[in-house]
Amino acid sequence: MIDPRLHVLRVLAEVGTLTAAAHRLGYTPSAVSHQLKSLSKDLGVRIVEPRGRGLILTRAGEVLLERSQELFTRWEEIRGELDGLDSGSDIRSRRLRLCGFSTAAATLLPPTASAVKELFPGAEVTIIEAEPEECFDLLVAEHADVAVVVATDPLPPRGDTRFEQAALFSDRLDLLVPAGHRLARRAAVTLSEAAEESWILDRAGSPYHRLVRTACAAAGFQPEQAHQSREWETGAALVSAGLGVALIPRLARLPDGFDVVRVPLRGDPVPSRKILTGIRSGSGSQPIIASALKVLESVSTELAQPE
Amino acid sequence: MIDPRLHVLRVLAEVGTLTAAAHRLGYTPSAVSHQLKSLSKDLGVRIVEPRGRGLILTRAGEVLLERSQELFTRWEEIRGELDGLDSGSDIRSRRLRLCGFSTAAATLLPPTASAVKELFPGAEVTIIEAEPEECFDLLVAEHADVAVVVATDPLPPRGDTRFEQAALFSDRLDLLVPAGHRLARRAAVTLSEAAEESWILDRAGSPYHRLVRTACAAAGFQPEQAHQSREWETGAALVSAGLGVALIPRLARLPDGFDVVRVPLRGDPVPSRKILTGIRSGSGSQPIIASALKVLESVSTELAQPE
DNA sequence: TCGATCATGCAACAGTATTGCACGATTCGG
DNA sequence: CCGAATCGTGCAATACTGTTGCATGATCGA
């Protein structure tokens, strides 16, 4: 509704080079170049200028971006208002697209989807699994309406007026140990009790790696990284083989067949990762989106409740 | 920048039938039908519904129109802000398109254009002659930036938030009489002194016809219409031939060679037609448009001054 | 009831946007 | 200091969205 070329401009402002922006948007550099050129021509104002071998926004470009955000927000509000009063017409029903990182997509979103479908009969609910940073791209591109992401991630734009973010719940971390481990029988342990263990982490630089290091630092030690794993499943396999211990979010379900034990952590604060929701600014006025957020909340407390 | 389909919807709301809207927009009915359909699909809301053999807006359509106007206004403001701070880049210079009814296009706009061109070197200034009602269409379609119209015209949407209208000046009306007429030598006359004359007017229903009748009614008589003329020039020819008298705005210049005399009118109020300017709401923040309005004002007082 | 007016759907078409590739400019590593 | 890599841009070919023209069914006025 609002000129999509503004999205292109915004991505360019973030990444700094036209090529990277194009890649992220699924266009070719040539296309992005033309879009910006035509936008600039339509406005009669120069909005980008070469800086090194990349492009930066001119003052006009920055102002354009800054001010136009209000348009997007306002538009989402209007959409919401429209949905609200269009009682019962099902020209194409409602449509809701939920996106989230893998764990969320597997555990949180399916029950949410079916609950929303019950509240809005005839609505079409889609689930998209995507990396957290990708999620926000999906939001702006209108390929998704609600995002569920991990707060710790590198690029959840903070204070970005494009989005409204809200804390959903804290996903507590459990200590994952082999079946025969000295801590396996304990009802709960503090993180520092595992300070001397060998640790299985994601590779350095990854969001999860940072999360674990931060938690351990808060407990007063540096984990010794013995092995790397990206997926919970491989991590569990390594733990099961006695190669070390790991932290795993309560939400992450493991396949059967691993000889491992989840030991709840206690402490103050209790180690956890923060899950939050994101929507396009203003889109919360759309009934189906508002209701999705509500359902998400009840679903997540329900999942987090069992200890 | 804002979705142009909203313009289509607005015109439809005004005229009531898709075919008429299409005709006014220069599209075929088929195209308009598809535009509305795609808009409706994108929104997931029914925005028009059949009423008789025309279409009317649903409640959602009305709200959409009402609320989206703010977007257009805001966008114009942003444009203005951009133009303001883009100091000295001439990527395509500024561009200004003035539109006005025939007399204005002939007398008011040319000096305005050249004055603006001096203030904004390298700016490209265009003049478009158009009927007053057409002028507003040109504004919304972004084919023109400033309109100069006669207030008396049938469809200058009053209180329409799409436009900002401002009184420019009062164009006094002169009495046009043949050279040897009994009033020809007078320095000024009241309108009622010509009550018994034969009158040359535009055809009934035209804006000018209404204007003259209103003026005469204020002076206490009904003009007897002897002949019809659409253009000032033919009217002057008829007057010159002794077939009657006419009212002609001070602004309207007549070609040489007619044996006619302009006699200024006096009275309270002095018979005149009101000229006003129109711009898209918010676009007044664009420096070149603001300056055009300013220049227009000084140009018109200058033209109206000589007696 | 007949004729006129209207909105809509479908296939053909036109115009716009995108792609792929080549070129010139800039930067970084050795 | 130089070569390789990366970047943005322009041009012709292509793909696509949006428009046209016409036929159809529906509604209204006389």
Side-chain angles (χ1 to χ4, degrees):
Chain A
M1 188 61 42
I2 316 298
D3 197 310
R5 293 174 300 185
L6 291 175
H7 283 143
V8 175
L9 183 63
R10 174 163 282 124
V11 173
L12 173 67
E14 287 172 10
V15 298
T17 89
L18 185 149
T19 304
H23 190 261
R24 182 153 155 203
L25 291 163
Y27 285 138
T28 60
S30 203
V32 173
S33 176
H34 288 149
Q35 290 203 16
L36 293 176
K37 175 146 300 198
S38 74
L39 178 60
S40 179
K41 202 186 71 180
D42 290 351
L43 264 50
V45 168
R46 188 172 291 281
I47 51 179
V48 293
E49 60 186 7
R51 172 78 104 213
R53 57 184 165 185
L55 294 178
I56 63 163
L57 269 58
T58 61
R59 183 86 194 98
E62 287 173 1
V63 169
L64 173 60
L65 230 49
E66 194 177 311
R67 300 317 220 87
S68 63
Q69 177 48 38
E70 192 184 345
L71 294 181
F72 287 102
T73 301
R74 195 71 91 203
W75 171 245
E76 290 293 340
E77 288 173 6
I78 294 176
R79 264 205 66 116
E81 201 166 341
L82 256 44
D83 275 10
L85 54 76
D86 179 60
S87 47
S89 105
D90 49 4
I91 173 177
R92 194 238 174 69
S93 315
R94 297 298 170 286
R95 189 178 48 158
L96 177 70
R97 293 148 308 176
L98 308 167
C99 71
F101 60 98
S102 53
T103 309
T107 62
L108 234 44
L109 299 187
T112 303
S114 44
V116 170
K117 248 188 278 192
E118 259 183 53
L119 289 171
F120 293 83
E124 163 187 329
V125 184
T126 320
I127 294 178
I128 303 169
E129 179 188 337
E131 296 302 310
E133 31 180 330
E134 217 183 330
C135 284
F136 288 93
D137 286 344
L138 289 173
L139 283 183
V140 295
E142 310 227 17
H143 290 137
D145 305 303
V146 176
V148 178
V149 298
V150 181
T152 161
D153 253 291
L155 311 149
R158 265 299 174 200
D160 189 326
T161 57
R162 285 181 294 167
F163 309 110
E164 291 169 21
Q165 301 183 28
L168 185 57
F169 77 112
S170 282
D171 191 13
R172 303 179 56 156
L173 298 177
D174 293 327
L175 183 67
L176 200 65
V177 298
H181 194 272
R182 64 180 171 96
L183 298 174
R185 298 282 180 111
R186 300 276 296 280
V189 299
T190 63
L191 191 48
S192 53
E193 293 183 74
E196 303 301 327
E197 299 288 336
S198 295
W199 285 86
I200 294 161
L201 305 173
D202 197 350
R203 73 187 53 146
S206 74
Y208 180 57
H209 180 93
R210 271 198 302 282
L211 173 67
V212 174
R213 291 195 81 89
T214 309
C216 292
F221 69 98
Q222 292 253 348
E224 180 226 336
Q225 175 157 18
H227 304 282
Q228 293 182 2
S229 88
R230 302 220 72 131
E231 309 279 342
W232 306 123
E233 190 172 340
T234 57
L238 296 181
V239 171
S240 169
L243 298 173
V245 301
L247 286 185
I248 185 171
R250 182 75 47 95
L251 214 56
R253 294 288 147 206
L254 290 177
D256 290 338
F258 286 121
D259 225 17
V260 295
V261 176
R262 268 181 202 261
V263 185
L265 287 177
R266 55 192 172 82
D268 185 36
V270 54
S272 62
R273 60 175 186 179
K274 307 287 184 281
I275 309 294
L276 39 86
T277 60
I279 59 174
R280 280 185 299 277
S281 288
S283 70
S285 56
Q286 295 183 37
I288 197 170
I289 291 183
S291 127
L293 291 177
K294 219 163 201 157
V295 168
L296 261 176
E297 207 144 333
S298 71
V299 165
S300 57
T301 54
E302 192 176 308
L303 278 181
Q305 202 71 326
E307 215 223 349
Chain B
M1 189 62 42
I2 315 296
D3 197 310
R5 292 174 300 184
L6 292 175
H7 283 143
V8 176
L9 183 63
R10 173 162 283 125
V11 173
L12 174 67
E14 287 171 10
V15 298
T17 88
L18 186 148
T19 304
H23 189 261
R24 181 151 155 204
L25 291 163
Y27 286 136
T28 60
S30 202
V32 173
S33 175
H34 287 150
Q35 289 204 16
L36 293 176
K37 175 146 299 199
S38 73
L39 178 59
S40 178
K41 203 186 71 181
D42 290 352
L43 264 50
V45 168
R46 187 172 293 283
I47 52 179
V48 293
E49 60 187 6
R51 171 77 106 214
R53 55 186 164 184
L55 294 179
I56 64 163
L57 270 57
T58 62
R59 183 84 194 100
E62 287 173 1
V63 170
L64 173 60
L65 229 49
E66 194 178 311
R67 299 318 218 85
S68 63
Q69 177 49 37
E70 192 184 345
L71 294 181
F72 287 101
T73 301
R74 195 72 91 204
W75 171 245
E76 290 293 341
E77 288 173 6
I78 294 176
R79 264 205 66 117
E81 201 166 340
L82 257 43
D83 276 11
L85 53 75
D86 179 59
S87 46
S89 104
D90 48 4
I91 175 178
R92 194 241 172 69
S93 318
R94 297 297 169 286
R95 190 177 48 157
L96 178 69
R97 293 148 309 176
L98 307 167
C99 71
F101 60 98
S102 53
T103 309
T107 62
L108 233 43
L109 299 188
T112 304
S114 44
V116 170
K117 248 189 276 192
E118 259 184 54
L119 289 171
F120 294 81
E124 163 187 329
V125 183
T126 320
I127 293 177
I128 303 168
E129 179 188 339
E131 296 302 311
E133 32 179 329
E134 217 183 329
C135 283
F136 287 93
D137 286 344
L138 290 173
L139 284 182
V140 295
E142 310 228 16
H143 291 138
D145 305 303
V146 176
V148 178
V149 297
V150 180
T152 160
D153 253 291
L155 311 149
R158 266 298 174 203
D160 189 326
T161 57
R162 286 180 292 166
F163 309 111
E164 291 170 20
Q165 302 183 29
L168 185 57
F169 77 113
S170 282
D171 191 13
R172 302 178 58 157
L173 299 178
D174 293 327
L175 182 68
L176 199 66
V177 299
H181 193 272
R182 64 183 170 92
L183 299 173
R185 300 281 180 110
R186 299 276 296 279
V189 299
T190 63
L191 190 49
S192 53
E193 293 184 72
E196 303 300 327
E197 299 288 335
S198 296
W199 284 84
I200 294 160
L201 305 174
D202 197 350
R203 73 188 52 147
S206 75
Y208 181 57
H209 180 94
R210 272 198 303 283
L211 174 68
V212 174
R213 290 195 82 88
T214 308
C216 292
F221 70 97
Q222 291 253 349
E224 181 224 336
Q225 174 158 18
H227 303 281
Q228 292 183 2
S229 88
R230 302 220 72 130
E231 308 280 340
W232 305 126
E233 189 173 339
T234 57
L238 297 182
V239 171
S240 169
L243 299 174
V245 301
L247 286 185
I248 185 172
R250 183 73 47 93
L251 214 56
R253 294 288 148 207
L254 291 177
D256 290 339
F258 287 121
D259 224 16
V260 295
V261 175
R262 268 181 202 262
V263 185
L265 287 176
R266 55 190 171 84
D268 185 32
V270 54
S272 62
R273 60 175 187 179
K274 307 287 183 283
I275 309 294
L276 38 86
T277 59
I279 58 175
R280 280 185 300 277
S281 287
S283 70
S285 56
Q286 296 183 38
I288 196 169
I289 290 183
S291 127
L293 291 178
K294 219 163 199 158
V295 168
L296 260 176
E297 208 145 334
S298 71
V299 165
S300 56
T301 54
E302 192 176 307
L303 278 181
Q305 202 70 327
E307 213 225 349

PDB file of all heavy atoms in Angstrom, chain B residues 284-307:
ATOM      1  N   GLY B 284       1.687  22.109   0.782  1.00  0.00           N
ATOM      2  CA  GLY B 284       2.145  23.477   0.966  1.00  0.00           C
ATOM      3  C   GLY B 284       3.513  23.554   1.610  1.00  0.00           C
ATOM      4  O   GLY B 284       4.162  24.594   1.591  1.00  0.00           O
ATOM      5  N   SER B 285       3.966  22.427   2.145  1.00  0.00           N
ATOM      6  CA  SER B 285       5.283  22.436   2.765  1.00  0.00           C
ATOM      7  C   SER B 285       6.401  22.320   1.739  1.00  0.00           C
ATOM      8  O   SER B 285       7.561  22.486   2.071  1.00  0.00           O
ATOM      9  CB  SER B 285       5.388  21.294   3.781  1.00  0.00           C
ATOM     10  OG  SER B 285       5.102  20.056   3.172  1.00  0.00           O
ATOM     11  N   GLN B 286       6.029  22.011   0.509  1.00  0.00           N
ATOM     12  CA  GLN B 286       7.057  22.003  -0.526  1.00  0.00           C
ATOM     13  C   GLN B 286       7.406  23.444  -0.885  1.00  0.00           C
ATOM     14  O   GLN B 286       6.533  24.221  -1.261  1.00  0.00           O
ATOM     15  CB  GLN B 286       6.576  21.245  -1.763  1.00  0.00           C
ATOM     16  CG  GLN B 286       6.322  19.774  -1.517  1.00  0.00           C
ATOM     17  CD  GLN B 286       5.909  19.042  -2.779  1.00  0.00           C
ATOM     18  OE1 GLN B 286       6.401  19.315  -3.852  1.00  0.00           O
ATOM     19  NE2 GLN B 286       4.976  18.116  -2.633  1.00  0.00           N
ATOM     20  N   PRO B 287       8.677  23.779  -0.786  1.00  0.00           N
ATOM     21  CA  PRO B 287       9.075  25.176  -0.977  1.00  0.00           C
ATOM     22  C   PRO B 287       8.588  25.756  -2.295  1.00  0.00           C
ATOM     23  O   PRO B 287       8.104  26.881  -2.339  1.00  0.00           O
ATOM     24  CB  PRO B 287      10.601  25.099  -0.947  1.00  0.00           C
ATOM     25  CG  PRO B 287      10.924  23.858  -0.211  1.00  0.00           C
ATOM     26  CD  PRO B 287       9.811  22.902  -0.481  1.00  0.00           C
ATOM     27  N   ILE B 288       8.690  24.966  -3.349  1.00  0.00           N
ATOM     28  CA  ILE B 288       8.352  25.530  -4.647  1.00  0.00           C
ATOM     29  C   ILE B 288       6.859  25.777  -4.756  1.00  0.00           C
ATOM     30  O   ILE B 288       6.416  26.732  -5.417  1.00  0.00           O
ATOM     31  CB  ILE B 288       8.854  24.602  -5.783  1.00  0.00           C
ATOM     32  CG1 ILE B 288       8.871  25.350  -7.102  1.00  0.00           C
ATOM     33  CG2 ILE B 288       8.018  23.353  -5.881  1.00  0.00           C
ATOM     34  CD1 ILE B 288       9.575  24.616  -8.206  1.00  0.00           C
ATOM     35  N   ILE B 289       6.067  24.956  -4.097  1.00  0.00           N
ATOM     36  CA  ILE B 289       4.623  25.160  -4.127  1.00  0.00           C
ATOM     37  C   ILE B 289       4.245  26.355  -3.258  1.00  0.00           C
ATOM     38  O   ILE B 289       3.443  27.203  -3.653  1.00  0.00           O
ATOM     39  CB  ILE B 289       3.902  23.878  -3.661  1.00  0.00           C
ATOM     40  CG1 ILE B 289       4.066  22.784  -4.717  1.00  0.00           C
ATOM     41  CG2 ILE B 289       2.427  24.156  -3.401  1.00  0.00           C
ATOM     42  CD1 ILE B 289       3.334  21.494  -4.399  1.00  0.00           C
ATOM     43  N   ALA B 290       4.851  26.423  -2.091  1.00  0.00           N
ATOM     44  CA  ALA B 290       4.582  27.563  -1.217  1.00  0.00           C
ATOM     45  C   ALA B 290       4.933  28.863  -1.927  1.00  0.00           C
ATOM     46  O   ALA B 290       4.185  29.841  -1.889  1.00  0.00           O
ATOM     47  CB  ALA B 290       5.389  27.420   0.070  1.00  0.00           C
ATOM     48  N   SER B 291       6.070  28.823  -2.605  1.00  0.00           N
ATOM     49  CA  SER B 291       6.496  30.039  -3.280  1.00  0.00           C
ATOM     50  C   SER B 291       5.585  30.367  -4.448  1.00  0.00           C
ATOM     51  O   SER B 291       5.314  31.531  -4.746  1.00  0.00           O
ATOM     52  CB  SER B 291       7.945  29.882  -3.728  1.00  0.00           C
ATOM     53  OG  SER B 291       8.098  30.150  -5.086  1.00  0.00           O
ATOM     54  N   ALA B 292       5.085  29.349  -5.111  1.00  0.00           N
ATOM     55  CA  ALA B 292       4.172  29.585  -6.227  1.00  0.00           C
ATOM     56  C   ALA B 292       2.919  30.289  -5.732  1.00  0.00           C
ATOM     57  O   ALA B 292       2.415  31.229  -6.373  1.00  0.00           O
ATOM     58  CB  ALA B 292       3.814  28.265  -6.896  1.00  0.00           C
ATOM     59  N   LEU B 293       2.414  29.860  -4.575  1.00  0.00           N
ATOM     60  CA  LEU B 293       1.219  30.496  -4.021  1.00  0.00           C
ATOM     61  C   LEU B 293       1.494  31.961  -3.684  1.00  0.00           C
ATOM     62  O   LEU B 293       0.664  32.843  -3.911  1.00  0.00           O
ATOM     63  CB  LEU B 293       0.762  29.736  -2.773  1.00  0.00           C
ATOM     64  CG  LEU B 293       0.207  28.339  -3.032  1.00  0.00           C
ATOM     65  CD1 LEU B 293      -0.162  27.656  -1.727  1.00  0.00           C
ATOM     66  CD2 LEU B 293      -1.008  28.412  -3.943  1.00  0.00           C
ATOM     67  N   LYS B 294       2.674  32.183  -3.156  1.00  0.00           N
ATOM     68  CA  LYS B 294       3.052  33.551  -2.795  1.00  0.00           C
ATOM     69  C   LYS B 294       3.122  34.428  -4.048  1.00  0.00           C
ATOM     70  O   LYS B 294       2.588  35.540  -4.079  1.00  0.00           O
ATOM     71  CB  LYS B 294       4.419  33.523  -2.102  1.00  0.00           C
ATOM     72  CG  LYS B 294       4.536  34.483  -0.950  1.00  0.00           C
ATOM     73  CD  LYS B 294       5.718  34.103  -0.071  1.00  0.00           C
ATOM     74  CE  LYS B 294       5.607  34.721   1.306  1.00  0.00           C
ATOM     75  NZ  LYS B 294       6.404  33.998   2.293  1.00  0.00           N
ATOM     76  N   VAL B 295       3.804  33.907  -5.033  1.00  0.00           N
ATOM     77  CA  VAL B 295       3.948  34.654  -6.287  1.00  0.00           C
ATOM     78  C   VAL B 295       2.578  34.916  -6.898  1.00  0.00           C
ATOM     79  O   VAL B 295       2.294  36.023  -7.368  1.00  0.00           O
ATOM     80  CB  VAL B 295       4.838  33.877  -7.273  1.00  0.00           C
ATOM     81  CG1 VAL B 295       4.750  34.496  -8.664  1.00  0.00           C
ATOM     82  CG2 VAL B 295       6.264  33.856  -6.787  1.00  0.00           C
ATOM     83  N   LEU B 296       1.730  33.893  -6.863  1.00  0.00           N
ATOM     84  CA  LEU B 296       0.392  34.049  -7.427  1.00  0.00           C
ATOM     85  C   LEU B 296      -0.329  35.217  -6.772  1.00  0.00           C
ATOM     86  O   LEU B 296      -1.009  36.010  -7.439  1.00  0.00           O
ATOM     87  CB  LEU B 296      -0.424  32.771  -7.202  1.00  0.00           C
ATOM     88  CG  LEU B 296      -0.533  31.820  -8.384  1.00  0.00           C
ATOM     89  CD1 LEU B 296      -1.279  30.570  -7.994  1.00  0.00           C
ATOM     90  CD2 LEU B 296      -1.233  32.516  -9.544  1.00  0.00           C
ATOM     91  N   GLU B 297      -0.153  35.324  -5.485  1.00  0.00           N
ATOM     92  CA  GLU B 297      -0.835  36.390  -4.761  1.00  0.00           C
ATOM     93  C   GLU B 297      -0.345  37.768  -5.213  1.00  0.00           C
ATOM     94  O   GLU B 297      -1.150  38.660  -5.482  1.00  0.00           O
ATOM     95  CB  GLU B 297      -0.593  36.203  -3.260  1.00  0.00           C
ATOM     96  CG  GLU B 297      -1.701  36.761  -2.410  1.00  0.00           C
ATOM     97  CD  GLU B 297      -1.911  35.892  -1.169  1.00  0.00           C
ATOM     98  OE1 GLU B 297      -1.597  34.690  -1.222  1.00  0.00           O
ATOM     99  OE2 GLU B 297      -2.374  36.436  -0.166  1.00  0.00           O
ATOM    100  N   SER B 298       0.974  37.893  -5.295  1.00  0.00           N
ATOM    101  CA  SER B 298       1.484  39.201  -5.685  1.00  0.00           C
ATOM    102  C   SER B 298       1.149  39.495  -7.139  1.00  0.00           C
ATOM    103  O   SER B 298       0.820  40.625  -7.501  1.00  0.00           O
ATOM    104  CB  SER B 298       2.999  39.277  -5.445  1.00  0.00           C
ATOM    105  OG  SER B 298       3.684  38.473  -6.371  1.00  0.00           O
ATOM    106  N   VAL B 299       1.205  38.491  -7.971  1.00  0.00           N
ATOM    107  CA  VAL B 299       0.862  38.697  -9.374  1.00  0.00           C
ATOM    108  C   VAL B 299      -0.593  39.140  -9.504  1.00  0.00           C
ATOM    109  O   VAL B 299      -0.917  40.046 -10.279  1.00  0.00           O
ATOM    110  CB  VAL B 299       1.092  37.403 -10.188  1.00  0.00           C
ATOM    111  CG1 VAL B 299       0.403  37.488 -11.545  1.00  0.00           C
ATOM    112  CG2 VAL B 299       2.572  37.144 -10.375  1.00  0.00           C
ATOM    113  N   SER B 300      -1.472  38.522  -8.715  1.00  0.00           N
ATOM    114  CA  SER B 300      -2.888  38.829  -8.892  1.00  0.00           C
ATOM    115  C   SER B 300      -3.235  40.203  -8.329  1.00  0.00           C
ATOM    116  O   SER B 300      -4.059  40.913  -8.899  1.00  0.00           O
ATOM    117  CB  SER B 300      -3.740  37.741  -8.244  1.00  0.00           C
ATOM    118  OG  SER B 300      -3.388  37.608  -6.893  1.00  0.00           O
ATOM    119  N   THR B 301      -2.623  40.582  -7.218  1.00  0.00           N
ATOM    120  CA  THR B 301      -2.901  41.935  -6.722  1.00  0.00           C
ATOM    121  C   THR B 301      -2.372  42.960  -7.712  1.00  0.00           C
ATOM    122  O   THR B 301      -2.997  43.987  -7.959  1.00  0.00           O
ATOM    123  CB  THR B 301      -2.232  42.174  -5.354  1.00  0.00           C
ATOM    124  OG1 THR B 301      -0.848  41.870  -5.465  1.00  0.00           O
ATOM    125  CG2 THR B 301      -2.866  41.296  -4.294  1.00  0.00           C
ATOM    126  N   GLU B 302      -1.265  42.644  -8.298  1.00  0.00           N
ATOM    127  CA  GLU B 302      -0.685  43.538  -9.291  1.00  0.00           C
ATOM    128  C   GLU B 302      -1.625  43.697 -10.484  1.00  0.00           C
ATOM    129  O   GLU B 302      -1.809  44.793 -11.011  1.00  0.00           O
ATOM    130  CB  GLU B 302       0.648  42.938  -9.758  1.00  0.00           C
ATOM    131  CG  GLU B 302       1.522  43.849 -10.571  1.00  0.00           C
ATOM    132  CD  GLU B 302       2.832  43.145 -10.871  1.00  0.00           C
ATOM    133  OE1 GLU B 302       3.486  42.666  -9.918  1.00  0.00           O
ATOM    134  OE2 GLU B 302       3.173  43.022 -12.052  1.00  0.00           O
ATOM    135  N   LEU B 303      -2.214  42.592 -10.903  1.00  0.00           N
ATOM    136  CA  LEU B 303      -3.127  42.651 -12.042  1.00  0.00           C
ATOM    137  C   LEU B 303      -4.452  43.300 -11.660  1.00  0.00           C
ATOM    138  O   LEU B 303      -5.093  43.951 -12.476  1.00  0.00           O
ATOM    139  CB  LEU B 303      -3.392  41.235 -12.572  1.00  0.00           C
ATOM    140  CG  LEU B 303      -2.335  40.675 -13.504  1.00  0.00           C
ATOM    141  CD1 LEU B 303      -2.736  39.289 -13.967  1.00  0.00           C
ATOM    142  CD2 LEU B 303      -2.160  41.591 -14.701  1.00  0.00           C
ATOM    143  N   ALA B 304      -4.857  43.111 -10.420  1.00  0.00           N
ATOM    144  CA  ALA B 304      -6.151  43.636 -10.005  1.00  0.00           C
ATOM    145  C   ALA B 304      -6.032  45.107  -9.627  1.00  0.00           C
ATOM    146  O   ALA B 304      -7.009  45.836  -9.642  1.00  0.00           O
ATOM    147  CB  ALA B 304      -6.690  42.837  -8.830  1.00  0.00           C
ATOM    148  N   GLN B 305      -4.831  45.540  -9.283  1.00  0.00           N
ATOM    149  CA  GLN B 305      -4.604  46.885  -8.802  1.00  0.00           C
ATOM    150  C   GLN B 305      -5.052  47.968  -9.786  1.00  0.00           C
ATOM    151  O   GLN B 305      -5.840  48.833  -9.439  1.00  0.00           O
ATOM    152  CB  GLN B 305      -3.111  47.066  -8.467  1.00  0.00           C
ATOM    153  CG  GLN B 305      -2.864  48.190  -7.507  1.00  0.00           C
ATOM    154  CD  GLN B 305      -3.390  47.823  -6.108  1.00  0.00           C
ATOM    155  OE1 GLN B 305      -4.391  47.114  -5.949  1.00  0.00           O
ATOM    156  NE2 GLN B 305      -2.725  48.330  -5.099  1.00  0.00           N
ATOM    157  N   PRO B 306      -4.545  47.940 -11.006  1.00  0.00           N
ATOM    158  CA  PRO B 306      -4.838  49.021 -11.957  1.00  0.00           C
ATOM    159  C   PRO B 306      -6.324  49.312 -11.994  1.00  0.00           C
ATOM    160  O   PRO B 306      -7.060  48.751 -12.795  1.00  0.00           O
ATOM    161  CB  PRO B 306      -4.342  48.473 -13.291  1.00  0.00           C
ATOM    162  CG  PRO B 306      -3.364  47.412 -12.957  1.00  0.00           C
ATOM    163  CD  PRO B 306      -3.776  46.876 -11.639  1.00  0.00           C
ATOM    164  N   GLU B 307      -6.726  50.192 -11.181  1.00  0.00           N
ATOM    165  CA  GLU B 307      -8.116  50.602 -11.016  1.00  0.00           C
ATOM    166  C   GLU B 307      -8.996  49.535 -10.413  1.00  0.00           C
ATOM    167  O   GLU B 307      -8.886  48.355 -10.681  1.00  0.00           O
ATOM    168  CB  GLU B 307      -8.719  51.002 -12.353  1.00  0.00           C
ATOM    169  CG  GLU B 307      -9.747  52.110 -12.154  1.00  0.00           C
ATOM    170  CD  GLU B 307     -10.986  51.820 -12.958  1.00  0.00           C
ATOM    171  OE1 GLU B 307     -10.912  50.905 -13.781  1.00  0.00           O
ATOM    172  OE2 GLU B 307     -12.001  52.465 -12.746  1.00  0.00           O
TER     173      GLU B 307
END
